[in-house]
Amino acid sequence: MDLFGKQGDVVDFGGGTDYSNYKFFTEPPPRQEPPPPEQVSSPYVPNEDVIIQNESFEFALSAAPNVLYARYKQYGQLGVLAWCSEFGELIDALKTLGFQGNMFVSTRTQALKTCAEILRLRLPDVQMQIIIMYLSSQVARLRRFLDSDTQWDDYPELTFPLEPPNVKSPGL
């Protein structure tokens, strides 16, 4: 016998099983019980503390660009650096709120809007690019948490010198 291109002998152990007295399909299989009807749950009503916390975050996020600009005007680039640290703490608190499942959509929307407003601010006297990089990284950190699928391209351009200045070494 040729099975799939192989030669093999048929093995017969003798005596087949007698199915003559067996009646197939005489009794239908048992029916499955229908699933219980879905219980209509009441709509989610957040705790009063969660509502107050979200409102506080929305207020802080809406004021953040103005606070950053005020710090910039008052203290210059060091004010921006200090504000970035405070903004990092706000981001950590927002992440905690989100991981607890208590962040409202309006809070998330305000946070994304705040990120765009912060990057639109013009801070011409900030010459230390490390501060701009720190500010951008804080904004990117918040954006990654809130909307990791979107690619953002509104970050400020960095202008690092590509070639070192011509330096004359003494005595050579």
Side-chain angles (χ1 to χ4, degrees):
M1 175 180 226
D2 185 18
L3 298 173
F4 305 108
K6 297 182 179 180
Q7 293 292 332
D9 294 331
V10 176
V11 178
D12 187 4
F13 294 107
T17 307
D18 183 20
Y19 291 108
S20 59
N21 293 331
Y22 190 78
K23 302 207 179 189
F24 291 97
F25 306 113
T26 55
E27 295 179 18
R31 297 201 181 264
Q32 295 180 354
E33 294 182 22
E38 293 183 24
Q39 297 176 357
V40 178
S41 61
S42 61
Y44 173 68
V45 178
N47 195 355
E48 186 66 30
D49 295 337
V50 173
I51 294 172
I52 292 171
Q53 194 175 20
N54 273 279
E55 288 174 353
S56 299
F57 276 120
E58 285 183 45
F59 177 76
L61 288 165
S62 64
N66 293 333
V67 173
L68 172 60
Y69 194 73
R71 292 280 175 89
Y72 166 71
K73 284 297 196 183
Q74 189 173 11
Y75 300 109
Q77 58 190 3
L78 291 179
V80 174
L81 183 62
W83 182 88
C84 286
S85 178
E86 293 174 8
F87 190 59
E89 293 174 11
L90 179 67
I91 292 169
D92 293 338
L94 275 171
K95 287 172 106 177
T96 302
L97 181 74
F99 287 137
Q100 292 172 348
N102 293 329
M103 183 182 289
F104 294 169
V105 174
S106 59
T107 306
R108 179 185 175 275
T109 305
Q110 180 61 48
L112 289 171
K113 192 165 93 172
T114 298
C115 290
E117 288 174 5
I118 288 171
L119 293 176
R120 271 192 302 238
L121 285 176
R122 296 292 168 228
L123 309 172
D125 290 340
V126 179
Q127 300 298 320
M128 295 180 69
Q129 292 192 22
I130 192 75
I131 295 175
I132 298 297
M133 290 171 62
Y134 185 44
L135 175 65
S136 298
S137 71
Q138 293 288 25
V139 169
R141 195 176 83 145
L142 180 57
R143 282 178 164 176
R144 269 193 313 272
F145 174 71
L146 296 172
D147 190 5
S148 61
D149 295 333
T150 305
Q151 294 289 336
W152 307 96
D153 60 354
D154 57 348
Y155 294 102
E157 294 288 324
L158 300 175
T159 55
F160 284 112
L162 298 177
E163 295 183 21
N166 294 332
V167 178
K168 295 181 180 179
S169 56
L172 292 179

